[in-house]
Amino acid sequence: MRISSVLLPAALLLFASTSGAQTMPYPQADTVPVTTVVVSATATPYRIKQEQSRHIAGTYELTNGWRMKVRTGTRTIDTTIDKQKPMRLLAVAPYKFASGDGRVTMEFNRGDVGDDMIMTYAPDPRFADMVVISSSVAQR
């Protein structure tokens, strides 16, 4: 007898809560049209000028304790972090470089005197997280 006296009010509350949910308005549809993003490479890589090469080449102390050496070419830079394999990045704009797969980008000539750089990279291609590391030039 006690169970039925508790069950009946609980059932009534459950039915009352679901009936109220049906009268609530639906969320408004997004009225802004969906746009698409198209990423395409330039026909020819950007050429690194001598002045830019002087600003870029050197050894950098990264904020996480790594040391990175940068050597410049005419259209690419080769970077070596600590004793890891060298990475080749393509010039995509003045002082901006990207790896072939787009997972690593570097931007140089930052800061008040142009001695700072910032590197972003995706540590794991399965995830959408990005790591951002900044640096000042240690030596040229």
Side-chain angles (χ1 to χ4, degrees):
M1 187 73 116
R2 272 177 85 78
I3 294 174
S4 64
S5 64
V6 173
L7 228 75
L8 183 61
L12 289 175
L13 283 173
L14 179 66
F15 290 126
S17 66
T18 58
S19 66
Q22 292 174 355
T23 60
M24 300 206 41
Y26 288 102
Q28 295 295 317
D30 191 5
T31 57
V32 178
V34 176
T35 60
T36 58
V37 177
V38 177
V39 178
S40 60
T42 57
T44 59
Y46 181 82
R47 189 169 178 82
I48 303 171
K49 298 177 178 145
Q50 284 186 349
E51 175 188 331
Q52 294 167 341
S53 181
R54 284 192 297 268
H55 280 321
I56 295 168
T59 302
Y60 292 82
E61 289 283 340
L62 302 178
T63 54
N64 63 354
W66 296 345
R67 288 180 66 86
M68 181 177 72
K69 291 183 182 180
V70 178
R71 291 181 313 243
T72 59
T74 56
R75 298 179 193 272
T76 61
I77 61 171
D78 291 322
T79 63
T80 305
I81 298 174
D82 292 335
K83 296 183 181 190
Q84 301 297 311
K85 291 181 180 179
M87 289 185 296
R88 178 160 284 174
L89 284 81
L90 182 67
V92 294
Y95 302 106
K96 294 182 183 181
F97 301 85
S99 62
D101 61 2
R103 291 181 51 214
V104 179
T105 62
M106 292 185 189
E107 186 177 341
F108 295 86
N109 196 29
R110 296 176 56 95
D112 296 336
V113 292
D115 282 346
D116 297 341
M117 64 84 61
I118 191 165
M119 174 176 65
T120 60
Y121 69 97
D124 190 341
R126 298 174 298 162
F127 302 109
D129 58 338
M130 295 293 285
V131 175
V132 179
I133 301 173
S134 60
S135 173
S136 294
V137 71
Q139 63 186 17
R140 296 223 187 235

